[in-house]
Amino acid sequence: MMKQAILIFLIVLFQISYANDDINPIASPYAEACGIITTFAGDYPKSLNYYLNNSVTASEIFSFMYETLLSISPISLKYEPNIAKRWKIKDNSFIFYLDKNAKWSNGEPITAYDVEWTYNTILDSKNLTGPHKVGLSRFFKPKIVDKYTIEFISKKKHWQNLLTISSFQILPKKVFEKKDFNKINFNFPVVSGPYKLEKIKEGIFLTLKKRYDWWQINKKKNTHIYNFDTIKYKFFTDRNNAFEAFKKGEIDIYPVYTAHIWGKKTNSEKFFKNHIIKQKIFNYNPIGFQGFAMNMRKFPFDDINVRKAMNYLIDRKKMNLNLMHNQYFLHKSYFEDIYTKKEPCTNSPFEFNKKAAILLLKKAGFKHNKTTGLLEKEGKKFSFKFLSRSASSDKFLNIYAEDLKDIGIEMIIEKKDWASWLKDMDEFNYQMTWAAWSSSVFKDPESMWSSKQSDTLGGTNITGFKNKKVDALIEKQKTIFDINKRNKILREIDSIIYKNCPYVLLWNINYIRLLYWNKFGTPETVLSKYGDQSSALVYWWLDKNSLDDLKDAINQKKELMGYKEEVHFQ
């Protein structure tokens, strides 16, 4: 089941939007503000400063602490007031009128000077704010009209201009202006959002505490959301260890990314008696992609024939069937959810084919060394390192390594911890690695696929992809406001990228596999329309009656009431 949200943005020459304050349509009227939820957050982050660490965890935590000029409706995706109570667009001018009630947690007002300082800090060349520079650099330096009014002028027309300039988190100038921004990682004493950082135990956990003095807490749109008094993030390098902690009740919610866990490890009494809920959530959450990224800047992956051969040498069907219970679809696109029945994907999937791989490698100039058994080219043997950060990938990599070895390629698995892996990725110090990318409703290919971004340290163009045709198409889509027309261009871009094979594409699913202890109240949709499991932290609440029932059921070994095993967003 693959659905696609259809949006058409029309920016007219003159537009004024005023404040509104409607109740969030996803929030449940039964939600109560209390309690704690503990969630699994993967590896301990190198920084909580999202501008320095472009990770999902950093982004999520940062968004709880710092707000943006505008927010976006969780249903219609229309722009709504946030720090700015209204805004005006005329030609290339974007004027934001800040809400004079907007306050930092220390009671100081949020002003245009904070907005200006944040923008300048991100664009400062000495700051390692990589991908965040891309969109904001499309604007001239902002003009402060007065204390609560700021104007941005775009250098050129782009469909994403309003989204970009309205959605970067604003930081307090007075708190951070005298500090080295590249060293602001875990200390955020002043915030503006619904939560503040409470406690950190390095490498183990951190907690966010709800702010009952949040300046927006009494607005209608925030009724029955942000319900937990405390959100606790527990960090585990290994997902299997996290799952064991979840079964012991040390974690409350666990998204399942491993088919073996979903298929084979959810058959104990806790699941049969509904103490733990197991659900498939089908919504409009955009589908990303994952694969083995190849560093095209370095031998041997600087040759397109080699990269194609690497795609032919992975037996994805075998892995899906034997290791993942056939739960996944196999990627043949970098933008899976832009295709429909009317506009199907025409990329030809790579089937496991050693003969085709051998022919491509010969074309690339590789020959067998009869002494070593390895392929060589101009005295260089075909031996490379696969940079790994997770033991759970070993079973896949071992199969791949054996198939490579069979035709004379040596793959050495080099394991590093999360921090070391991130450092190497930021500096492009790798040959091949496993990379998984989320997606967005608002798809902009520039940061990952533009030639200009191929050498930006800390950026998302980790493969060093460069292509003049793709660059031209990226430029073309910038001035198109109809998402259907942009998606048509994206399909062209996708076709070119796919043929150039920067990744050995793997597999994915089009729903969210979720496990959680049966003590929470949830909206009817369980998660938000476009969100993943992280939306539970916004919309769920601790249901005291359900918690008491769960405790009794565990003590008396009783069964709790059933639930929907599949939830489809309506």
Side-chain angles (χ1 to χ4, degrees), residues 23 31 40 70 88 94 107 144 162 164 171 214 237 240 244 289 291 301 310 365 372 375 391 406 461 463 486 553 560:
I23 291 175
F40 162 51
L70 304 181
K88 181 167 66 175
F94 298 77
I144 293 179
L162 179 58
T164 298
L171 303 179
W214 178 36
T237 300
N240 291 319
E244 294 304 314
F289 75 91
F301 303 124
M310 299 305 285
T372 64
L375 290 169
D406 188 48
N461 188 347
T463 62
R486 286 206 309 275
L560 292 171

Short mmCIF file of all heavy atoms in Angstrom, two decimals, residues 23 31 40 70 88 94 107 144 162 164 171 214 237 240 244 289 291 301 310 365 372 375 391 406 461 463 486 553 560:
data_model
loop_
_atom_site.label_atom_id
_atom_site.label_comp_id
_atom_site.label_asym_id
_atom_site.label_seq_id
_atom_site.Cartn_x
_atom_site.Cartn_y
_atom_site.Cartn_z
N ILE A 23 -7.81 23.86 16.92
CA ILE A 23 -7.45 22.64 17.63
C ILE A 23 -6.80 21.65 16.67
O ILE A 23 -7.26 21.47 15.54
CB ILE A 23 -8.70 22.02 18.29
CG1 ILE A 23 -9.17 22.93 19.44
CG2 ILE A 23 -8.41 20.62 18.81
CD1 ILE A 23 -10.46 22.49 20.09
N ALA A 31 -6.85 12.96 25.92
CA ALA A 31 -5.46 12.98 26.35
C ALA A 31 -5.30 13.72 27.68
O ALA A 31 -5.97 14.73 27.94
CB ALA A 31 -4.59 13.63 25.29
N PHE A 40 13.56 4.45 22.68
CA PHE A 40 14.88 4.02 22.22
C PHE A 40 15.38 5.00 21.18
O PHE A 40 14.67 5.35 20.24
CB PHE A 40 14.77 2.61 21.64
CG PHE A 40 15.92 2.19 20.76
CD1 PHE A 40 17.22 2.33 21.21
CD2 PHE A 40 15.70 1.65 19.51
CE1 PHE A 40 18.29 1.95 20.41
CE2 PHE A 40 16.75 1.26 18.70
CZ PHE A 40 18.04 1.41 19.16
N LEU A 70 7.36 29.72 11.48
CA LEU A 70 6.04 29.19 11.18
C LEU A 70 6.02 27.70 11.47
O LEU A 70 7.06 27.05 11.53
CB LEU A 70 5.67 29.43 9.70
CG LEU A 70 5.71 30.86 9.18
CD1 LEU A 70 5.31 30.89 7.71
CD2 LEU A 70 4.84 31.78 10.00
N LYS A 88 4.06 38.19 5.38
CA LYS A 88 3.67 38.81 4.11
C LYS A 88 4.70 38.45 3.05
O LYS A 88 5.90 38.52 3.29
CB LYS A 88 3.57 40.33 4.27
CG LYS A 88 3.14 41.06 3.00
CD LYS A 88 2.76 42.51 3.28
CE LYS A 88 3.92 43.34 3.74
NZ LYS A 88 3.55 44.77 3.90
N PHE A 94 10.03 38.34 1.93
CA PHE A 94 9.32 37.56 2.94
C PHE A 94 9.43 38.32 4.26
O PHE A 94 10.52 38.38 4.85
CB PHE A 94 9.93 36.17 3.07
CG PHE A 94 9.85 35.34 1.82
CD1 PHE A 94 10.73 35.57 0.76
CD2 PHE A 94 8.91 34.34 1.68
CE1 PHE A 94 10.67 34.81 -0.40
CE2 PHE A 94 8.83 33.57 0.53
CZ PHE A 94 9.72 33.81 -0.53
N GLY A 107 12.34 34.23 30.23
CA GLY A 107 11.40 35.34 30.28
C GLY A 107 11.67 36.45 29.29
O GLY A 107 10.85 37.35 29.11
N ILE A 144 16.41 43.88 9.57
CA ILE A 144 15.56 44.08 10.74
C ILE A 144 14.76 45.37 10.54
O ILE A 144 15.33 46.46 10.46
CB ILE A 144 16.40 44.14 12.03
CG1 ILE A 144 17.04 42.78 12.29
CG2 ILE A 144 15.53 44.57 13.21
CD1 ILE A 144 17.91 42.72 13.52
N LEU A 162 9.75 29.81 1.03
CA LEU A 162 8.99 30.05 2.26
C LEU A 162 9.22 28.94 3.27
O LEU A 162 9.39 29.20 4.47
CB LEU A 162 7.49 30.18 1.95
CG LEU A 162 6.59 30.42 3.17
CD1 LEU A 162 7.01 31.67 3.92
CD2 LEU A 162 5.12 30.51 2.76
N THR A 164 11.87 27.06 3.60
CA THR A 164 13.23 27.17 4.13
C THR A 164 13.35 28.27 5.17
O THR A 164 13.86 28.06 6.27
CB THR A 164 14.22 27.45 2.98
OG1 THR A 164 14.20 26.35 2.07
CG2 THR A 164 15.64 27.63 3.51
N LEU A 171 17.50 30.49 17.68
CA LEU A 171 18.27 30.35 18.92
C LEU A 171 18.43 31.71 19.59
O LEU A 171 18.39 32.76 18.93
CB LEU A 171 19.65 29.77 18.61
CG LEU A 171 19.67 28.42 17.89
CD1 LEU A 171 21.10 27.98 17.62
CD2 LEU A 171 18.94 27.36 18.69
N TRP A 214 5.73 27.41 29.18
CA TRP A 214 5.91 27.62 27.74
C TRP A 214 4.92 28.67 27.26
O TRP A 214 3.72 28.62 27.57
CB TRP A 214 5.69 26.29 27.01
CG TRP A 214 5.79 26.34 25.53
CD1 TRP A 214 6.64 27.09 24.78
CD2 TRP A 214 5.01 25.57 24.59
NE1 TRP A 214 6.45 26.86 23.43
CE2 TRP A 214 5.45 25.92 23.29
CE3 TRP A 214 4.00 24.63 24.72
CZ2 TRP A 214 4.90 25.36 22.14
CZ3 TRP A 214 3.46 24.06 23.58
CH2 TRP A 214 3.91 24.42 22.30
N THR A 237 23.81 1.12 21.42
CA THR A 237 24.54 0.95 20.16
C THR A 237 23.96 -0.21 19.36
O THR A 237 23.89 -0.16 18.13
CB THR A 237 26.03 0.69 20.45
OG1 THR A 237 26.55 1.81 21.17
CG2 THR A 237 26.82 0.51 19.17
N ASN A 240 19.52 -5.01 19.15
CA ASN A 240 19.08 -6.22 19.85
C ASN A 240 19.09 -6.03 21.35
O ASN A 240 18.20 -6.49 22.07
CB ASN A 240 19.96 -7.40 19.45
CG ASN A 240 19.76 -7.82 18.00
OD1 ASN A 240 18.64 -7.85 17.52
ND2 ASN A 240 20.85 -8.11 17.31
N GLU A 244 15.86 -6.22 23.99
CA GLU A 244 15.82 -6.95 25.27
C GLU A 244 15.42 -6.01 26.40
O GLU A 244 14.65 -6.40 27.29
CB GLU A 244 17.18 -7.59 25.55
CG GLU A 244 17.57 -8.70 24.57
CD GLU A 244 16.53 -9.81 24.50
OE1 GLU A 244 16.06 -10.25 25.57
OE2 GLU A 244 16.18 -10.22 23.38
N PHE A 289 15.26 5.71 1.44
CA PHE A 289 15.94 4.59 0.80
C PHE A 289 17.16 4.20 1.63
O PHE A 289 17.64 4.98 2.46
CB PHE A 289 16.37 4.94 -0.63
CG PHE A 289 17.57 5.85 -0.73
CD1 PHE A 289 18.87 5.33 -0.81
CD2 PHE A 289 17.43 7.23 -0.75
CE1 PHE A 289 19.97 6.17 -0.90
CE2 PHE A 289 18.52 8.07 -0.84
CZ PHE A 289 19.80 7.54 -0.92
N GLY A 291 20.97 1.73 1.33
CA GLY A 291 21.85 0.97 0.46
C GLY A 291 23.29 1.07 0.91
O GLY A 291 23.60 1.73 1.92
N PHE A 301 35.65 2.61 -6.74
CA PHE A 301 34.27 2.98 -7.04
C PHE A 301 34.13 4.27 -7.85
O PHE A 301 33.04 4.79 -8.01
CB PHE A 301 33.46 3.04 -5.74
CG PHE A 301 33.50 1.75 -4.96
CD1 PHE A 301 33.93 1.72 -3.65
CD2 PHE A 301 33.15 0.56 -5.58
CE1 PHE A 301 33.98 0.53 -2.95
CE2 PHE A 301 33.20 -0.65 -4.89
CZ PHE A 301 33.62 -0.67 -3.56
N MET A 310 28.86 -4.12 -8.63
CA MET A 310 28.58 -4.31 -7.20
C MET A 310 27.10 -4.50 -6.95
O MET A 310 26.69 -5.19 -6.01
CB MET A 310 29.11 -3.12 -6.39
CG MET A 310 30.61 -2.89 -6.50
SD MET A 310 31.62 -4.33 -6.06
CE MET A 310 31.45 -4.32 -4.29
N GLY A 365 38.61 -2.96 -16.78
CA GLY A 365 40.05 -3.18 -16.84
C GLY A 365 40.60 -4.12 -15.79
O GLY A 365 41.83 -4.22 -15.61
N THR A 372 47.16 -14.58 -6.32
CA THR A 372 46.32 -14.16 -5.18
C THR A 372 44.86 -14.56 -5.35
O THR A 372 44.12 -14.66 -4.37
CB THR A 372 46.39 -12.64 -4.99
OG1 THR A 372 45.83 -12.00 -6.15
CG2 THR A 372 47.82 -12.18 -4.81
N LEU A 375 41.06 -9.94 -8.24
CA LEU A 375 41.05 -9.09 -9.42
C LEU A 375 42.02 -7.93 -9.23
O LEU A 375 42.16 -7.41 -8.11
CB LEU A 375 39.63 -8.54 -9.68
CG LEU A 375 38.58 -9.55 -10.14
CD1 LEU A 375 37.19 -8.92 -10.09
CD2 LEU A 375 38.87 -10.04 -11.56
N ALA A 391 26.56 -4.51 14.58
CA ALA A 391 26.73 -5.96 14.48
C ALA A 391 25.55 -6.61 13.76
O ALA A 391 25.67 -7.70 13.19
CB ALA A 391 26.88 -6.56 15.88
N ASP A 406 33.98 -14.88 -4.36
CA ASP A 406 33.84 -15.93 -5.36
C ASP A 406 34.33 -15.49 -6.74
O ASP A 406 34.75 -16.32 -7.55
CB ASP A 406 32.37 -16.36 -5.44
CG ASP A 406 32.18 -17.58 -6.32
OD1 ASP A 406 32.92 -18.56 -6.16
OD2 ASP A 406 31.28 -17.54 -7.19
N ASN A 461 25.68 14.57 0.52
CA ASN A 461 26.15 13.97 -0.74
C ASN A 461 27.41 13.16 -0.42
O ASN A 461 28.52 13.50 -0.82
CB ASN A 461 26.46 15.06 -1.77
CG ASN A 461 26.76 14.49 -3.16
OD1 ASN A 461 26.98 13.28 -3.31
ND2 ASN A 461 26.77 15.33 -4.16
N THR A 463 28.38 10.23 -1.35
CA THR A 463 29.02 9.43 -2.41
C THR A 463 29.89 10.28 -3.33
O THR A 463 30.65 9.74 -4.12
CB THR A 463 27.96 8.70 -3.25
OG1 THR A 463 27.13 9.66 -3.89
CG2 THR A 463 27.13 7.75 -2.39
N ARG A 486 6.98 19.00 -10.38
CA ARG A 486 8.30 18.75 -9.77
C ARG A 486 8.59 17.26 -9.70
O ARG A 486 9.72 16.82 -9.95
CB ARG A 486 8.38 19.36 -8.36
CG ARG A 486 8.49 20.86 -8.33
CD ARG A 486 9.18 21.33 -7.06
NE ARG A 486 8.60 20.78 -5.85
CZ ARG A 486 7.56 21.27 -5.21
NH1 ARG A 486 6.93 22.33 -5.70
NH2 ARG A 486 7.12 20.71 -4.10
N ALA A 553 -2.62 -7.26 35.07
CA ALA A 553 -2.51 -8.35 34.09
C ALA A 553 -1.17 -9.06 34.21
O ALA A 553 -1.09 -10.29 34.10
CB ALA A 553 -2.72 -7.81 32.69
N LEU A 560 -5.14 -8.93 28.38
CA LEU A 560 -5.80 -7.66 28.18
C LEU A 560 -6.63 -7.69 26.90
O LEU A 560 -6.47 -8.58 26.06
CB LEU A 560 -4.77 -6.53 28.11
CG LEU A 560 -4.02 -6.23 29.41
CD1 LEU A 560 -2.89 -5.24 29.15
CD2 LEU A 560 -4.98 -5.69 30.47
#
